[in-house]
Amino acid sequence: MPVLLRINYNNSDFIFQVLTEKPSTQLQLEIFLGGSTFLFVKTGNYWMLDAHQDLSGVDFGLMEAIAKALALRFRVSSSKLVG
């Protein structure tokens, strides 16, 4: 069952789904936001947006906010975005 998470970024609310089953035990999480799917990878203590996907038109600030929300929800100490 997908997990719904909500964040506030630039004074706007965003709701995204974690599509991966049992996310707290995984090293990769598939996220659904605004009709698109993104892959985040756990590297050490960080959740990172996987750089091997099409990232054209992606708001990296929003993706970093999602990575931080994942870190808080799934008990990772902090987050960092791959650029």
Side-chain angles (χ1 to χ4, degrees), residues 7-68:
I7 60 169
N8 187 288
Y9 172 71
N10 282 347
N11 296 318
S12 295
D13 288 330
F14 293 90
I15 297 174
F16 62 94
Q17 288 182 313
V18 179
L19 300 175
T20 306
E21 292 292 323
K22 299 183 181 177
S24 59
T25 62
Q26 303 298 321
L27 296 177
Q28 294 185 348
L29 296 178
E30 191 174 18
I31 305 299
F32 182 77
L33 172 70
S36 298
T37 303
F38 301 96
L39 183 65
F40 285 80
V41 183
K42 184 178 177 183
T43 304
N45 291 331
Y46 303 101
W47 282 105
M48 301 176 163
L49 185 60
D50 183 41
H52 295 98
Q53 56 193 324
D54 181 18
L55 300 176
S56 57
V58 171
D59 181 341
F60 287 103
L62 177 58
M63 293 298 121
E64 187 170 13
I66 290 173
K68 288 179 181 180

